[in-house]
């Protein structure tokens, strides 16, 4: 697994973001984040339809070690959440950039994505 | 850099995430703490516990002195090999450490917590006075804990015939020497298993042999969730110098009889028992998608409040559990505030899992 895929954008609080063809933005947490958290046991996701502001606390990851807040990387409406994480939270450890995506946001202003770090910038922030 | 056990290089080679524990560089996990936990509950796993302090107490007054030093009574160790669990208290009845004492041919062997080693030894030496007692720290020994339903069978398959024979006859909570080794049927996981003390330079070979036989290395993370499920206290979390054994589900380890045995902390404990004012330690079970953690407040309606002393996710039960100190009048339910929400928890006697099975209704 690539530690920091170059096609994604990153927040210094360890969320990754990917713009989809339909304009929505998929959000998850980085490999570095899951590694630091250890075994993930619960993930609490926002409700579909919730309006988020960039930087707002909107999800929680509980691992054996600690509870960590997840912040919205961009503003917009939650249009989908990954239901699979309810029963298989270990996906976050196994496939953080794939099967363990957290939620999708329809951004109000997709230029907010440009304010996030690129892979190089994220790695430099670690 | 912290202290290193003789198995430090083996931990790194096995991909361990290392953490500081009481001044020691120890493995937290080797990949997945939950898998290591299941390994011990379902099969067999091994822990490097060489950071713990092995201390031998001998001399003509060893027995009488330990009867004064410890809240449990070493006179209960009716023969060589028997062991007991005890608190070492200060004058106020606070717990300086919790430890296991084995009766040996020459005296007694104590196994102390790593984080309290220096404090304990200073305290013990201070208590010697005129007593004919020698206190010898056995820093040349390493210690491995091999735990799980298949632990004894697997250990027996990789050691000498005489050691295998000893393993087959050891009773629970018994420890015996075999040559330069000391084999004890004790542990900190709620499973059957052994704790093996052996010369440090022989530890890597035993570790390797066990590993090749199918025993997986397990870190402090799994050790913590295993002991929590078993309802066993962790020094520094559930108990400390401010905690009375009466408030830590350790009343059974206090030997009140004979009434004329004077031990350090006795007066304070008797006053506490008389007053009946100590909080009580309970287990908590949460059936929601959240995790109980140390220092969260426990709210008991109409009674008061308490505090979680250690909490985590229970891999065996698939929900969160905790040990907490609560007012004595607490009933069967309470609430814990997590992220602004008050979640209802069940209150049970401390102890959740033993020998692979849930032990509460």
């Amino acid at each position: 697994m690539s530690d920091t895929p170059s096609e994604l954008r990153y927040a210094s609080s360890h969320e990754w973001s990917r713009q989809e063809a339909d304009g929505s933005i998929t959000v998850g947490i980085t490999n570095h984040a899951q590694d630091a958290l250890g075994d993930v046991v619960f993930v609490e996701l926002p409700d579909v339809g919730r309006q988020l502001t960039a930087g707002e606390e909107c999800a929680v990851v509980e691992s054996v070690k600690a509870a960590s807040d997840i912040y919205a990387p961009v503003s917009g409406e939650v249009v989908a959440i990954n239901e699979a994480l309810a029963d298989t939270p270990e996906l976050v450890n196994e496939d953080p950039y794939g099967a363990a995506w957290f939620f999708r946001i329809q951004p109000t202003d997709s230029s907010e994505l440009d304010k996030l770090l690129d892979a190089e910038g994220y790695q430099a922030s670690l | 850099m912290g202290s290193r056990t003789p198995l430090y290089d083996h931990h790194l080679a096995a991909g361990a995430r290392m953490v500081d524990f009481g001044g020691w560089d120890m493995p937290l996990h080797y990949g997945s703490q939950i898998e290591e936990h299941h390994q011990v509950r379902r099969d067999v796993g091994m822990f490097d516990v060489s950071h713990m302090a092995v201390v031998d107490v001998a001399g003509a007054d060893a027995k009488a002195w330990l009867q004064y030093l410890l809240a449990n009574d070493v006179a209960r160790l009716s023969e060589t090999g028997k062991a007991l669990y005890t608190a070492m208290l200060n004058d106020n009845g606070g717990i300086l450490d919790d430890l296991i004492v084995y009766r040996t041919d020459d005296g007694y062997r104590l196994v102390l917590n790593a984080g309290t080693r220096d404090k304990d030894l200073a305290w013990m030496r201070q208590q010697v006075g005129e007593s004919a007692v020698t206190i010898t720290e056995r820093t040349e020994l390493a210690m491995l804990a091999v735990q799980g339903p298949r632990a004894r069978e697997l250990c027996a398959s990789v050691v000498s015939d005489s050691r295998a024979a000893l393993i087959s006859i050891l009773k629970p909570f018994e420890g015996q020497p075999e040559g330069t080794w000391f084999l004890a049927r004790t542990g900190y996981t709620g499973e059957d298993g052994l704790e093996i003390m052996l010369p440090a330079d022989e530890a890597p070979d035993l570790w390797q042999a066990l590993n090749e036989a199918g025993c997986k290395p397990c870190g402090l993370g799994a050790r913590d969730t295993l002991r929590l499920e078993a309802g066993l206290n962790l020094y520094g979390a559930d108990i400390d110098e401010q905690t009375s054994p009466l408030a830590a589900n350790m009343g059974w380890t206090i030997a009140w009889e004979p009434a004329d045995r004077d031990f350090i902390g006795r007066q304070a404990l008797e006053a506490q028992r008389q007053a009946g004012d100590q909080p009580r330690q309970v287990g908590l079970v949460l059936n929601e998608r959240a995790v109980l953690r140390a220092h969260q407040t426990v709210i008991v309606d109409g009674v008061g409040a308490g505090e979680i002393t250690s909490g985590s996710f229970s891999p065996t039960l698939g929900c969160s559990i905790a040990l907490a100190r609560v007012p004595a009048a607490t009933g069967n339910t309470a609430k814990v505030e997590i992220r602004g929400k008050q979640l209802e928890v069940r209150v049970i006697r401390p102890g959740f899992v033993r020998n692979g099975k849930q032990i509460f209704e």
Side-chain angles (χ1 to χ4, degrees), chain A residues 35-44 60-67 69 85-87 89 94, chain B residues 17 28-29 31-35 225 288-291 293 311-313 315 318-320 338-339 341:
Chain A
D35 187 54
L37 284 167
D39 292 303
V40 172
V41 294
F42 295 121
V43 180
E44 197 178 296
V60 179
V61 181
E62 292 260 21
S63 75
V64 286
K65 191 166 141 192
D69 290 318
L85 296 183
D87 291 328
E94 291 161 4
Chain B
R17 166 73 54 93
L28 179 64
H29 60 75
S32 167
Q33 147 175 0
I34 289 181
E35 279 171 32
T225 48
E288 302 219 31
R289 308 178 64 75
V291 180
R293 311 225 183 239
S312 188
F313 176 74
C319 65
S320 184
I338 302 178
R339 293 191 293 278
K341 276 185 247 170

Side-chain angles (χ1 to χ4, degrees), chain A residues 3-50:
Chain A
D3 232 29
T4 318
S6 59
E7 67 275 20
L8 304 179
R9 307 291 289 197
Y10 299 89
S12 55
S13 48
H14 311 291
E15 297 86 4
W16 58 259
S17 299
R18 180 179 66 221
Q19 185 137 39
E20 307 296 345
D22 65 1
S24 68
I25 289 168
T26 304
V27 179
I29 66 166
T30 66
N31 187 51
H32 173 83
Q34 70 76 19
D35 187 54
L37 284 167
D39 292 303
V40 172
V41 294
F42 295 121
V43 180
E44 197 178 296
L45 295 173
D47 293 331
V48 171
R50 180 169 156 191

Side-chain angles (χ1 to χ4, degrees), chain B residues 14-81:
Chain B
R17 166 73 54 93
M18 304 297 285
V19 291
D20 172 73
F21 185 84
W24 291 77
D25 286 341
M26 298 300 291
L28 179 64
H29 60 75
Y30 303 81
S32 167
Q33 147 175 0
I34 289 181
E35 279 171 32
E36 291 162 22
H37 180 108
H38 290 316
Q39 178 74 24
V40 171
R41 284 271 179 261
R42 295 168 184 170
D43 191 23
V44 53
M46 59 181 171
F47 303 85
D48 177 11
V49 287
S50 304
H51 58 313
M52 298 188 79
V54 181
V55 176
D56 288 341
V57 174
D61 296 335
K63 180 180 173 185
W65 182 72
L66 286 172
Q67 286 187 288
Y68 171 68
L69 185 77
L70 303 173
N72 208 336
D73 187 355
V74 296
R76 290 177 172 184
L77 301 175
S78 53
E79 55 191 77
T80 296

